[in-house]
Structures are given as C-alpha cells and as structure tokens.
Amino acid sequence: MNDLNDRNTEIFGTLGPSCARADLMEQMFLEGMSGMRLNMSHSGLKESEPLIHSFHQAAQRAGVQPQLLIDMQGPEIRIGDMPSPLQLKESEEMEFVREEEDLSDRCAVPVAGRVLCAFETGDHVLLDDGRMELVITSVKPRVTADVLRGGILQKKKSLKIIDKSIQAPVITKQDRENIRLAKDYGVTALMQPFVTNGEQLAQVGRTLRDNHMEHVRIFAKIENRAGIRNIKTILPYADMVVIARGDLGNDMPLWKLPAAQQELSQMCVQEGKPFLVVTQLLASMVHNPYPTRAEVSDIFHAILDGAAAVMVTNETAVGDYPLEVIRYLKKTAEEAETVRRNKM
C-alpha cells in the first residue's frame, strides 16, 4: 500500500485532432503528461501513423519515455458507419437498420444483425455514452424508435440497451490486427473494454504473448455492474484497473456512480492493484480555459482515494485547450499527492 502512495500519479491525455501537432504535445509532456490514449474504435494503428509519429517525436524532444495506450474495440456495442452525422430530434421517429444496408438515401442508424434482433418494443436505447436516448416502438416490419433525448449522432458511437446484455467477441478482428502491429508503433499498454471476468483478460494476455508483446500492460476497463461484481476474478490478470465512469454511469442510476467508484477504489487499494479514473474529469475545459471547482475537487479526491493514474479524453482529443487541461490535471494531482503522503 505504501508503494501505491509513494508513486507519482500517471497523467494521460487522449490523442486527437486538437493535439495533433508535435510542438503542442511536447509542451504537454513538459507539463507532466505521462502518455496518451489512442481510441481504436474508429481507426487502426496504420491509419493513425502520422499522429503516432508526432506523439513519439514530441516525447523525444521533451526527454520523456512515453506511454502509448490503445483502447481496443472489444465487446463494446457500437453503431455502424454512416455517410454523414445524423440529427436526432426529440419526439421524432427514427429507424434502426442492418449495417450492410445502403444508407445513401436514408436517415437511419446502422447496427449489427445481432443488435437488430435483440431489440424489443419498449426497450430504452442509449447512444454515444448516454448523450441520446430512444425507446423502441416497433420491431416488425421495421425497427423504429422515438427520440426521447436528441442530439447529433456520429458514426461508430456506443449503443447500449438498458438492462440487456448482447454477446460480442472479447477480441475483434481489428483488435487482433492492432495487437499484431503494436510493437512497431511503440504501444506500451492495452485497454480492454467492458471486462466482466478474469477469463476475458486471460484471453487478452494469451493473444499478447502469441505476438511477443508480454511487456504490454493490460488495463481492465470496468464499465458495468457485472465487472464490479466479479472484480476479484479480474484483479489477478490486470496491471491496472480502469474505473470508466462513462459507461459505468450508463449501467446504473447516476446517483449510485460515486458509491461504485468508491467500492472499486477501496477494493484496488486493499489488493494493492493500481487503478485509473477516467471520464469527464475536466469536461468543462473542452470549451473553457479553466475548470470548475467541482472538477478539481473530483480529481483531488480520486487521487486521495488511491488512484495511480487519471485520464482525460475529449478534453485533449477535440477540446480547445489541451495544454491547459494537462496543466490543471498535473497541478491538482500534485496537491493530492502531497496530502496523501502526509497522511501516511
């Protein structure tokens, strides 16, 4: 436990268009950033090569050995590709279709066949980490839904049917290809989504070993109540537990999320397992140069509770102030570390 308290908090950003320049990422490293996450849900390592090159160039200039985390597709359910973003307006009807169908002249949301077959009348469907919500109104002859909470839906965004589980492969074809290429791109850690039992991580570990990537850390993302229930079977296979509050907050009433985070934090501390906290740490800074008091307090208490790492996503990937985000994240972490050490 003292080892966990003594270490410096790892600070992770997320790669994206807002921080694509090597000179900007160099400044972010100099502000205390340990590394960055690359989301593999929308593209592969080959497609991200220019961004990864800038990342490594920036780290070299800053004199940092960087951590590159790839966030795998895994068993997370997502909508398919669309020719353009889709505006979902409240009280309007929309349609779900198989992702193989031609959408060039249709306003519909494409999904995999297994998802289409899982829909039942009355199901509530969350899209894009819960930003949009729909209710299924019919499944024959077409799957239609009414929009309860609207927004602009982009391709490949997450989909969740409330209180329903849809089976999906632990490691997708694209995941296997990215693991095969991981060494060439300097990947140091793999983030496995929606981990619900230890065997899933064991499978990930075997795949890494098959590709001579034993040195890559495995980050287990806990994103639903099943993951919390089975956390003791997960911990032996994880190098880091990720308390992923986005989807975790979609799987329970939001007011229960802080208690779930606390439960996971305490379990990890008791077992001596490092954990990372992510999702909306500095969400207001996507468009503002400074955070709210609540956000700073959230980060401070996550680290005081024992977090070994904290991570931002949209704040650096698409936000307006990626450098300022890392600065606030690092400074707040340092304050929490000081208090934590003084309590020892």
Side-chain angles (χ1 to χ4, degrees):
M1 183 154 170
N2 288 341
D3 289 343
L4 292 179
N5 282 331
D6 285 342
R7 70 176 64 182
N8 291 327
T9 308
E10 291 186 274
I11 305 294
F12 293 109
T14 293
L15 283 161
S18 289
C19 60
R21 299 192 337 262
D23 61 335
L24 177 55
M25 279 191 276
E26 180 185 358
Q27 291 179 281
M28 292 164 72
F29 278 117
L30 292 173
E31 285 289 345
M33 186 173 71
S34 311
M36 302 194 84
R37 159 187 172 265
L38 181 60
N39 189 354
M40 297 282 93
S41 297
H42 308 295
S43 64
L45 285 169
K46 278 186 177 179
E47 292 82 358
S48 304
E49 188 168 326
L51 192 57
I52 297 171
H53 175 74
S54 295
F55 166 81
H56 286 298
Q57 186 180 49
Q60 184 178 26
R61 290 176 183 173
V64 172
Q65 290 290 329
Q67 297 290 320
L68 178 58
L69 285 54
I70 53 173
D71 200 343
M72 310 300 281
Q73 285 187 336
E76 182 171 17
I77 304 299
R78 293 181 175 271
I79 67 170
D81 210 346
M82 299 188 297
S84 60
L86 187 60
Q87 175 76 56
L88 302 183
K89 297 181 179 179
E90 291 181 12
S91 302
E92 288 192 354
E93 184 182 84
M94 54 76 58
E95 183 181 2
F96 286 101
V97 298
R98 290 183 181 272
E99 56 188 352
E100 297 84 4
E101 293 189 28
D102 182 10
L103 295 179
S104 56
D105 59 349
R106 300 178 69 181
C107 290
V109 178
V111 295
R114 66 178 184 279
V115 178
L116 203 66
C117 293
F119 287 134
E120 296 177 293
T121 302
D123 279 345
H124 282 248
V125 182
L126 300 177
L127 298 173
D128 193 5
D129 292 336
R131 291 179 176 85
M132 285 152 272
E133 182 177 359
L134 304 88
V135 60
I136 302 296
T137 52
S138 72
V139 293
K140 291 182 179 180
R142 300 179 301 129
V143 177
T144 59
D146 285 342
V147 179
L148 302 179
R149 184 169 61 248
I152 298 177
L153 182 63
Q154 308 279 350
K155 64 183 180 180
K156 304 287 189 180
K157 290 298 181 180
S158 63
L159 179 151
K160 176 178 175 57
I161 307 175
I162 294 178
D163 293 328
K164 187 174 287 187
S165 177
I166 302 173
Q167 294 300 313
V170 173
I171 304 174
T172 67
K173 181 179 179 181
Q174 183 172 317
D175 288 340
R176 293 185 185 279
E177 176 64 11
N178 285 323
I179 289 173
R180 188 182 68 81
L181 296 171
K183 193 171 185 178
D184 295 337
Y185 290 94
V187 172
T188 60
L190 179 154
M191 301 179 72
Q192 180 64 21
F194 285 89
V195 177
T196 57
N197 59 69
E199 175 52 35
Q200 293 171 334
L201 287 191
Q203 183 178 338
V204 172
R206 289 192 293 269
T207 305
L208 286 171
R209 288 192 295 275
D210 289 345
N211 287 271
H212 308 291
M213 296 293 290
E214 298 90 343
H215 64 281
V216 169
R217 291 194 290 172
I218 298 176
F219 286 32
K221 295 177 72 177
I222 306 302
E223 305 189 77
N224 54 34
R225 285 168 289 186
I228 298 175
R229 285 194 303 270
N230 298 325
I231 189 65
K232 286 191 175 181
T233 74
I234 293 167
L235 291 178
Y237 298 95
D239 296 298
M240 178 88 75
V241 168
V242 179
I243 304 177
R245 303 182 304 183
D247 282 290
L248 195 56
N250 285 338
D251 198 49
M252 62 184 67
L254 202 53
W255 52 85
K256 290 185 178 290
L257 179 60
Q261 177 175 332
Q262 188 77 10
E263 179 183 352
L264 286 168
S265 299
Q266 290 176 351
M267 181 66 71
C268 288
V269 170
Q270 289 168 9
E271 298 296 324
K273 184 66 62 174
F275 68 94
L276 176 156
V277 176
V278 64
T279 311
Q280 295 184 334
L281 291 180
L282 292 168
S284 70
M285 291 191 73
V286 170
H287 299 301
N288 292 299
Y290 47 82
T292 67
R293 274 71 172 166
E295 288 168 335
V296 171
S297 180
D298 177 37
I299 297 164
F300 181 91
H301 285 287
I303 295 168
L304 202 61
D305 287 343
V310 286
M311 176 185 289
V312 289
T313 54
N314 286 346
E315 294 95 325
T316 58
V318 297
D320 297 331
Y321 302 97
L323 178 60
E324 290 80 0
V325 164
I326 296 301
R327 182 177 299 133
Y328 269 104
L329 200 54
K330 179 63 176 178
K331 294 294 186 185
T332 306
E334 288 174 341
E335 287 297 314
E337 289 163 2
T338 299
V339 173
R340 191 169 70 185
R341 288 173 183 138
N342 288 339
K343 283 187 172 184
M344 291 170 57

